[in-house]
Structure formats: structure tokens, C-alpha cells
């Protein structure tokens, strides 16, 4: 080890004697410059770049993301509960997600074993969810969209197990009106599903829900469609075995002029830098 260090120092002295101190300093400065430019570069982030150039997609993302984020957050909590939950767990879920109407614990036949709140404000038929037994047995979720005289309700079920055997379902149900209100403009957002209309938005929901979404979604999970007198941009999302589709009319957004690009902020001078020399004006010494 000592021999290696001595040899390295000797090589440095020889190099210095051959090239001279001035040349060594110049090369060292050039090396540091290359290192800073190509290896250890100063990171910079362009906060004005939204990543999506299509203004229609930008519009859709702004409308549905606050809704979808809450839905996905709830699904992560629901999917992690694979045993019959206690009432406290259900109450905590409701407290954390005020848009949820209730939580029900069902047996394999779809019959209620426990429920929070204990009395539902509307009659709910959970039995059709039990038809998804094949999904539940392999630990997959299932969902249902139902509409009655009181409006639309969405039910999402996750299986629970006893001794590794499927024993029933934990169901979260909600009125989509309570969830869509988190969008900055709920009336500009339409939500349909492969089981029917979820949220009508600006009034064209029925016509959009009548489209053959099962066929459309075989090709893509995002796209444009001319229907119901508008040019809609859409994005699909799985919810159990069904698919939700978020849509908005993109004509106004795409016709709008781009906002002026923000000027980059001036960079602060490094500490210890010499102040810039004042300009010499004609007639001044």
C-alpha cells in the first residue's frame, strides 16, 4: 500500500516537472469545467412545462384528478383489509373520506352482517355483488353501479377471508355527487361506466353513457370522441370488473390562446462574487 502511494506521488512530481505548473493549472481548470458541465451538473426544473401539450387533455386532467385521487386512496385502504373489519375501522374510513355514504360487511350470499351507519338512508341491494364470487376467491375487487328514484349509487366490494377461505365482502358505497364535487368544475366533467351513467355533468351524460364503451375500451384507455354535439376527450379507469370513463368537452380549451410564457427568475449571484463594474458614460471620468 505504501509502495503504491509513493509511486503515485513520484508520478505526480514527474508530470509536474515535465509540463510545468502553468500547464497543470490550466488542465485542472478545464477538467473541473467539464466535470461541472457533464457529470456533476446543477439541476434545473422548468415549472412552466406541464408535460402535456394537448390543452384538451390538460383540461380533463385538471377536472378529474382531484376526484380520482380520492377514489384511488380509498381503494388502497379497502384492498388492504382482508379480514372482517371492526366497527372502529369502518368509522375511521368514513371520517377520512367524508364523501363515502357507508360501509357494509356481507357474507358470501350478499347479506348484511354489520353496517356503518347501522341504518342506511336508502335501500341497497348487495346481492348482485355476490355473483362476482370467482373474483373474490382470487382476492380481486368488484363493483356495481345502480340507479333508482333516489339517484345513482356506486358500490365497491373487497373480499375478506377466514383461514384463507373466502368468507364475505367489505363494501364501500357512495353517491357519486358527493365525490365529483371535489372537481374544480363538476358540471364540466361527465363520468360514465360500462354499467351505465355515473355523473351527467353538463347534461349530455345520457347520450355519452349510451355509447358502446365495452367496444371502445377494447382499443384504448384514453382518446377523443365526437358525440352528443361535442368533441370529448376521455380517460378510463378500472373499478373492480367495470370501467369508469371520465370525459369533458375539449373544444373550448383547445380553441383558447396559450398563456404567455413566464420569464425565468433572475439567478442570484454566488456568494463572494465581485460586484459588476459600473458602465462608463460619455463625459464621465
Amino acid at each position: 500500500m505504501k509502495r503504491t502511494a509513493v509511486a503515485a506521488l513520484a508520478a505526480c512530481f514527474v508530470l509536474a516537472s515535465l509540463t510545468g505548473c502553468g500547464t497543470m493549472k490550466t488542465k485542472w481548470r478545464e477538467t473541473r469545467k467539464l466535470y461541472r458541465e457533464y457529470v456533476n451538473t446543477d439541476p434545473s426544473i422548468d415549472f412552466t412545462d406541464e408535460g402535456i401539450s394537448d390543452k384538451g387533455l390538460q383540461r380533463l386532467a385538471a377536472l378529474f384528478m382531484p376526484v380520482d385521487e380520492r377514489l384511488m386512496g380509498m381503494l388502497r385502504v379497502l384492498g388492504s383489509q382482508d379480514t372482517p373489519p371492526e366497527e372502529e375501522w369502518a368509522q375511521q374510513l368514513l371520517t377520512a373520506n367524508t364523501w363515502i355514504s357507508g360501509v357494509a360487511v356481507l357474507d358470501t350470499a350478499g347479506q348484511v352482517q354489520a353496517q356503518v351507519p347501522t341504518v342506511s338512508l336508502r335501500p341497497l341491494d348487495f346481492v348482485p355483488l355476490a355473483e362476482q364470487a370467482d373474483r373474490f376467491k382470487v382476492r380481486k375487487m368488484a363493483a356495481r353501479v345502480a340507479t333508482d328514484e333516489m339517484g345513482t349509487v356506486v358500490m365497491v366490494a373487497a373480499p375478506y377471508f377466514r383461514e384463507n377461505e373466502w368468507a364475505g365482502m367489505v363494501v364501500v358505497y357512495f353517491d357519486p355527487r358527493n365525490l365529483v364535487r371535489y372537481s374544480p368544475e363538476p358540471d364540466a366533467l361527465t363520468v360514465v361506466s360500462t354499467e351505465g351513467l355515473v355523473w351527467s355533468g353538463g347534461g349530455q351524460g345520457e347520450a355519452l353513457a349510451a355509447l358502446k364503451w365495452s367496444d371502445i375500451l377494447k382499443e384504448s384507455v384514453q382518446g377523443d370522441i365526437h358525440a352528443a354535439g361535442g368533441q370529448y376527450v376521455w380517460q378510463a379507469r378500472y373499478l373492480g370488473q367495470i370501467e369508469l370513463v371520465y370525459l369533458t368537452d375539449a373544444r373550448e380549451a383547445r380553441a383558447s390562446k396559450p398563456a404567455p410564457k413566464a420569464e425565468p427568475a433572475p439567478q442570484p449571484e454566488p456568494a463572494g462574487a465581485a460586484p459588476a463594474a459600473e458602465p462608463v458614460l460619455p463625459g464621465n471620468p
Side-chain angles (χ1 to χ4, degrees), residues 189-209:
L189 179 67
T190 300
V191 187
V192 302
S193 77
T194 46
E195 285 198 350
L197 179 63
V198 177
W199 169 251
S200 61
Q204 299 299 325
E206 292 288 351
L208 294 170

Side-chain angles (χ1 to χ4, degrees), residues 5-260:
V6 170
L9 287 172
C12 288
F13 283 125
V14 171
L15 182 61
S17 63
L18 291 175
T19 59
C21 292
T23 304
M24 283 290 289
K25 289 180 180 179
T26 301
K27 293 299 182 183
W28 178 243
R29 283 197 297 267
E30 291 177 355
T31 302
R32 285 199 304 173
K33 182 179 179 182
L34 290 172
Y35 178 75
R36 288 172 179 169
E37 287 183 358
Y38 298 103
V39 180
N40 189 25
T41 58
D42 292 330
S44 60
I45 302 175
D46 184 2
F47 290 100
T48 63
D49 184 6
E50 297 182 345
I52 302 174
S53 58
D54 187 334
K55 289 184 286 187
L57 285 174
Q58 292 175 9
R59 169 78 165 157
L60 177 63
L63 292 174
F64 91 86
M65 283 303 294
V67 176
D68 195 62
E69 286 175 352
R70 286 170 171 81
L71 179 59
M72 293 301 107
M74 181 276 291
L75 292 179
R76 285 192 292 270
V77 176
L78 178 62
S80 65
Q81 184 65 38
D82 63 353
T83 58
E86 300 292 334
E87 181 179 343
E88 182 181 358
W89 179 90
Q91 191 59 59
Q92 288 178 348
L93 185 63
L94 290 171
T95 301
N97 301 273
T98 56
W99 49 273
I100 295 176
S101 302
V103 179
V105 179
L106 315 178
D107 61 16
T108 56
Q111 300 300 317
V112 176
Q113 305 300 300
Q115 192 169 341
V116 178
T118 54
V119 178
S120 175
L121 298 178
R122 64 190 301 173
L124 295 173
D125 183 9
F126 297 114
V127 174
L129 284 171
E131 297 173 0
Q132 302 296 326
D134 290 341
R135 293 184 61 85
F136 296 138
K137 289 176 182 178
V138 292
R139 298 179 180 272
K140 292 183 178 180
M141 291 187 184
R144 182 174 180 237
V145 176
T147 302
D148 56 25
E149 64 277 3
M150 297 183 68
T152 300
V153 62
V154 179
M155 311 174 201
V156 186
Y160 65 83
F161 298 81
R162 290 192 178 97
E163 297 180 356
N164 210 31
E165 292 291 331
W166 175 51
M169 300 152 279
V170 183
V171 180
V172 170
Y173 55 93
F174 61 92
D175 186 326
R177 291 174 292 188
N178 295 332
L179 177 58
V180 175
R181 65 183 172 88
Y182 290 102
S183 172
E185 296 181 58
D187 288 341
L189 179 67
T190 300
V191 187
V192 302
S193 77
T194 46
E195 285 198 350
L197 179 63
V198 177
W199 169 251
S200 61
Q204 299 299 325
E206 292 288 351
L208 294 170
L211 298 174
K212 295 181 179 180
W213 285 105
S214 295
D215 294 335
I216 296 171
L217 293 168
K218 289 178 182 178
E219 303 294 331
S220 179
V221 296
Q222 186 276 320
D224 284 54
I225 191 166
H226 291 266
Q231 181 183 345
Y232 288 86
V233 59
W234 57 271
Q235 175 70 50
R237 159 79 73 184
Y238 265 106
L239 185 65
Q241 84 288 3
I242 69 176
E243 287 187 77
L244 294 182
V245 183
Y246 300 99
L247 307 97
T248 192
D249 194 336
R251 290 175 297 175
E252 184 177 347
R254 286 172 173 165
S256 63
K257 295 181 180 180

Side-chain angles (χ1 to χ4, degrees), residues 1-11:
M1 190 69 182
K2 289 182 179 180
R3 288 183 179 179
T4 304
V6 170
L9 287 172

Side-chain angles (χ1 to χ4, degrees), residues 278-285:
E278 294 184 1
V280 179
L281 301 177
N284 287 350

